[in-house]
Amino acid sequence: MKKTILILLGIFIIASFNVNAQSMFDDAVKAIKKKDFPTALKLAKQALEIDSTNSALKILIQLREKEYNNKQLFEYLGDTYAKMNVSELALSNYADAEKFDSLDVSLKFKIADLLYKGQSYKEAVNKYFEIVHLAPKNSEALLKAGTILYLAKSYANAGVVLEQYLALEQTQDVYRKITKSFLEIANYEKAYKYAVDGLAKYPDDSSLKKAAAIGSFGLQKFDEAGKYYSSIPDSLLSVSDLKNAGRAYQQIKADSIAIKFFEKVVEKDNTQSSLFMDMADNYYRSNNYEQAIKYYEAKVNIDPKFEPAYRNMAFVYFKTEKWDNARLAFLKAKELVDTTFSTNYWLAQTYNRMDSLDQAADQYVKILKLTEGKEKEYKDYILEAVTNLGQRAFLGKNYNAAVTYYRRANQLKPNEWRFMESLGACYQILQNYDESIRWYCATLKINPKSEPARKGLRMMSADECIPKNGK
């Protein structure tokens, strides 16, 4: 029963509207015949207000045919066609109305909104800008223009317009849009600023927290980045976000937190081989050598030609005194890149620990080649190499080679008497007695108690430079 009453009521209302519309149309026709155009125009507006677009349109067309040039006539025609979804005719009539008054903001809004609805975005934005030019504090026009630019991915322009809007009104949605706009064009300073400003008003907004995190990371404010990343649920963080969070904590030496974020990355995407190095390096610095090895191996399993992973893995093995593992890892690194100084130097150290002195000597020769022309930078390493090679040559009875190495050592460290003493011994064996005497005497000036120098000089009957009384 109730449903039936409602249906009958609806039919009655529709019928009433139809009667009213017909009455308005009849009255308008009479007014037009009397050339009472304002009355007819008023009746057309009333018909439009009760959504009797057909009646309104008939009245307005008759007025236009009477060449009634009136701004409202064309505006009402535009309104009517807009309601009928005939956008082209609506815009044409709005344009005619605008010729009467180019400063009418409300009319410009009708045009802009219709252009936007019809996806004529460029023209719509320009019309909204006309409004802003007339009314710089019209927040609605700024918002609509900025939103169109944002949706069109014209992020630089969107940022500029939305900044003007935020100066008037501070809405959560616009803070989100403006931070994304500036992030898209890598303007981290402004993205960070508006994210922080937005969080002051909307402190629980995860989107703004994320923008603040990305912005601060881009500005290398790693403390801030870590703080914001940590405040966001993991479900809202992409693999890239998690990586940057880990790297932020890595930069501030919070390795244990960095590792947690890196592990989350691997949980989400186990192909993130570039991250395995970060994880391994963090574990290494944290003295967690077992985990460090695990991730260096994970890296080389995915990327077997990545030399730094082998080299760093070798360092871990060296530190844990697993000499053969270190040797194999260093050799693999050399196989990929043979010119890395640290690889060759620490391989030499590894061979020394394994008492593989011939192999160590081969590495020292390589080190000397790698450091040619770089004596200031590698002085101590060169000295170590030539000292080791000099000793090996002397023990191998290759005295000429020993002389070459000890002379180089003496040049690097002129006041080291042990090199002078060794040169005296080499020249004595080679029967170059003048040189032997010269080096033994130089030795005694620095170390008067050198027994090899004293003995050698006596054997060559050249004890003039031997200090008396052991002094």
Side-chain angles (χ1 to χ4, degrees), residues 41-290:
L41 187 63
K42 183 178 178 181
L43 289 166
K45 181 183 178 186
Q46 290 174 1
L48 191 60
E49 287 173 349
I50 63 171
D51 290 330
S52 183
T53 52
N54 287 331
S55 296
L57 183 60
K58 290 176 183 178
I59 298 168
L60 294 168
I61 288 175
Q62 288 190 43
L63 284 170
R64 188 178 62 188
E65 289 174 350
K66 295 296 184 180
E67 297 184 356
Y68 178 49
N69 288 323
N70 180 282
K71 175 196 167 188
Q72 287 181 320
L73 166 63
F74 293 106
E75 185 173 354
Y76 293 161
L77 274 167
D79 293 344
T80 305
Y81 283 123
K83 283 194 173 189
M84 297 172 71
N85 292 318
V86 186
S87 299
E88 186 175 349
L89 291 176
L91 290 170
S92 174
N93 281 281
Y94 283 145
D96 288 337
E98 203 173 19
K99 292 175 184 177
F100 289 89
D101 183 0
S102 61
L103 304 180
D104 188 330
V105 169
S106 64
L107 179 58
K108 290 183 185 294
F109 260 116
K110 290 180 180 181
I111 297 171
D113 290 346
L114 197 57
L115 287 167
Y116 177 53
K117 183 180 178 182
Q119 299 182 1
S120 297
Y121 300 123
K122 183 177 179 180
E123 292 85 351
V125 167
N126 288 335
K127 188 58 67 172
Y128 286 126
F129 282 160
E130 287 182 26
I131 296 169
V132 172
H133 180 73
L134 294 171
K137 294 186 177 182
N138 192 304
S139 60
E140 183 183 357
L142 288 166
L143 178 59
K144 288 184 174 179
T147 299
I148 292 172
L149 292 167
Y150 174 82
L151 294 174
K153 298 184 179 180
S154 179
Y155 294 115
N157 292 323
V160 171
V161 176
L162 293 175
E163 275 189 296
Q164 296 176 59
Y165 175 83
L166 282 177
L168 301 170
E169 296 183 30
Q170 298 78 45
T171 62
Q172 189 171 8
D173 181 62
V174 171
Y175 274 120
R176 289 177 176 177
K177 284 185 171 70
I178 197 170
T179 52
K180 178 175 171 58
S181 295
F182 284 124
L183 286 177
E184 288 288 342
I185 61 173
N187 188 334
Y188 299 117
E189 186 173 354
K190 285 197 172 182
Y192 175 76
K193 174 192 182 311
Y194 286 110
V196 172
D197 288 350
L199 286 169
K201 291 181 70 67
Y202 309 101
D204 298 324
D205 191 304
S206 294
S207 175
L208 294 177
K209 288 179 182 178
K210 188 171 177 178
I214 297 171
S216 54
F217 185 85
L219 294 171
Q220 299 186 8
K221 295 181 177 182
F222 298 116
D223 281 310
E224 290 286 292
K227 177 185 74 174
Y228 285 117
Y229 276 125
S230 294
S231 69
I232 304 168
D234 290 346
S235 60
L236 298 180
L237 295 175
S238 66
V239 168
S240 177
D241 294 326
L242 291 167
K243 285 167 68 174
N244 286 343
R247 285 171 177 152
Y249 280 112
Q250 192 176 33
Q251 289 293 326
I252 62 175
K253 310 301 181 186
D255 290 335
S256 60
I257 304 176
I259 288 168
K260 290 180 181 178
F261 275 102
F262 289 148
E263 287 177 338
K264 291 174 184 177
V265 173
V266 177
E267 285 175 14
K268 282 195 172 188
D269 183 359
N270 60 10
T271 66
Q272 290 288 323
S273 63
S274 62
L275 195 59
F276 292 148
M277 283 297 291
D278 287 320
M279 295 180 69
D281 291 344
N282 272 299
Y283 280 123
Y284 183 27
R285 285 192 294 270
S286 302
N287 299 323
N288 189 338
Y289 302 125
E290 184 178 349

Side-chain angles (χ1 to χ4, degrees), residues 327-338:
R327 175 184 68 84
L328 292 172
F330 279 131
L331 286 173
K332 185 63 180 179
K334 270 177 63 69
E335 180 185 322
L336 295 168
V337 181
D338 192 35

Side-chain angles (χ1 to χ4, degrees), residues 374-437:
K374 302 175 183 177
E375 191 168 291
K376 286 185 179 180
E377 183 179 353
Y378 292 102
K379 179 180 177 181
D380 291 341
Y381 299 104
I382 296 170
L383 180 61
E384 179 183 335
V386 294
T387 301
N388 182 282
L389 291 168
Q391 291 171 346
R392 293 292 296 161
F394 188 88
L395 292 173
K397 298 183 179 180
N398 186 351
Y399 301 112
N400 284 314
V403 165
T404 300
Y405 289 123
Y406 283 131
R407 276 187 172 275
R408 180 81 183 276
N410 177 253
Q411 290 172 353
L412 293 166
K413 200 171 182 180
N415 294 321
E416 179 51 64
W417 61 269
R418 290 179 180 83
F419 300 144
M420 301 174 187
E421 184 181 83
S422 296
L423 282 166
C426 288
Y427 281 120
Q428 185 178 3
I429 295 169
L430 292 168
Q431 298 182 10
N432 187 338
Y433 299 123
D434 289 342
E435 280 296 298
S436 178
I437 291 168

